[in-house]
Amino acid sequence: MRNIMTNDHKNWFHQRCCAVVLLLLVSLSVSGCSLYVMAGKMFFGDPLITCEFTKQTKIDLIEDQKKVLVVCSTPESIRSDYPSLNYDLLEQVTYRLRRENIKVMDTGEVATWLDDNGGVWNDVDELAENFEVDYIIHVDIDSFDYREPNSPNLLRGKAFGHISAYEVHAVDGIKRALEIFDVEYTSEYPSHMPVSIEQESATVFRKKYLDRIADQIGRFFYNYHSGDPI
């Protein structure tokens, strides 16, 4: 009797396993590749994505431990509406690079030098001469706003610009900055529909949007996991 019960139990277990496998296969065929991605993460972990800077230059700022200067610039039209934008981005991008163990020039030194030069600079070689760094990252924002046009009660962040990086070399005793990286940067958040000021104040939304921009810019220069929030 005991052997008969054991065989019955094995048959029942086998049928249950087959049913589970069949259900999984049907789910995969219906749900598409997203379940395959989920299954891959379960077995192999969240993949690490190589940043664009390393892809293009083969330089790893974390492993190489070279010193980096971050500088941000905006046109006068933006500075008149958002006078602190340059410094806010400088501080937030620097914080994210430093968090990833990239050696970054202190923001206070950069801000002081910029203040002494009227808040603007015209030549990246001038930065190379005045700072002891190996690379210069230039965040150039051409347009920025967090208000929906013609809708004072709606908020949506939009920004456009270029992110460049330069390698500092000494040529005949004079420091020069050679461009080695340049990408276009475009941002819109949220993309599906704007946020009402009744849901979130303009001050809170602006801070959140600047954090998002800094995260996106930082990811050009350090590797990250595909599932990391942004």
Side-chain angles (χ1 to χ4, degrees):
M1 176 65 75
R2 180 175 299 174
N3 291 337
I4 294 176
M5 291 295 291
T6 301
N7 289 335
D8 288 343
H9 179 74
K10 288 181 178 179
N11 290 335
W12 175 84
F13 182 76
H14 178 73
Q15 291 173 357
R16 293 280 293 182
C17 289
C18 290
V20 171
V21 172
L22 180 60
L23 180 61
L24 178 60
L25 290 174
V26 171
S27 298
L28 287 172
S29 64
V30 171
S31 300
C33 65
S34 60
L35 284 179
Y36 285 101
V37 173
M38 292 174 61
K41 289 184 178 182
M42 288 175 59
F43 287 103
F44 304 108
D46 196 5
L48 190 66
I49 297 176
T50 302
C51 66
E52 284 299 317
F53 178 78
T54 299
K55 285 181 182 178
Q56 293 189 27
T57 66
K58 310 305 180 186
I59 298 168
D60 189 320
L61 293 176
I62 298 174
E63 288 188 359
D64 295 344
Q65 283 294 288
K66 300 295 187 179
K67 196 165 188 179
V68 176
L69 166 70
V70 178
V71 64
C72 302
S73 62
T74 53
E76 178 60 35
S77 58
I78 294 180
R79 291 198 300 273
S80 61
D81 290 334
Y82 310 108
S84 67
L85 181 62
N86 281 358
Y87 296 107
D88 291 340
L89 280 177
L90 171 63
E91 185 177 42
Q92 293 302 319
V93 172
T94 297
Y95 165 75
R96 282 155 177 80
L97 296 181
R98 187 170 290 146
R99 182 186 62 192
E100 300 298 322
N101 295 318
I102 296 174
K103 295 172 64 177
V104 191
M105 175 69 67
D106 181 72
T107 55
E109 294 184 48
V110 179
T112 298
W113 186 88
L114 288 172
D115 285 339
D116 292 342
N117 288 271
V120 296
W121 51 275
N122 299 313
D123 189 349
V124 70
D125 286 335
E126 185 179 5
L127 297 174
E129 279 289 338
N130 283 275
F131 293 96
E132 290 294 329
V133 295
D134 302 293
Y135 297 97
I136 298 171
I137 294 174
H138 178 204
V139 179
D140 185 22
I141 301 298
D142 296 318
S143 64
F144 170 85
D145 207 341
Y146 63 92
R147 300 163 299 191
E148 188 76 350
N150 305 315
S151 302
N153 296 324
L154 297 178
L155 306 170
R156 191 202 306 259
K158 292 184 178 181
F160 172 78
H162 282 82
I163 314 300
S164 306
Y166 301 80
E167 191 169 28
V168 177
H169 293 277
V171 179
D172 296 329
I174 300 175
K175 291 183 180 179
R176 291 289 182 261
L178 175 66
E179 184 177 83
I180 59 173
F181 177 77
D182 181 75
V183 292
E184 187 177 275
Y185 172 75
T186 302
S187 170
E188 182 180 27
Y189 174 78
S191 58
H192 56 287
M193 62 184 300
V195 175
S196 170
I197 59 173
E198 296 179 358
Q199 298 174 268
E200 195 166 67
S201 71
T203 302
V204 171
F205 181 84
R206 180 178 181 274
K207 174 63 169 58
K208 183 185 294 185
Y209 185 50
L210 283 175
D211 287 343
R212 184 179 181 85
I213 290 176
D215 283 334
Q216 292 173 329
I217 293 173
R219 289 188 178 190
F220 282 117
F221 298 97
Y222 55 76
N223 303 336
Y224 58 93
H225 292 281
S226 60
D228 289 345
I230 190 169

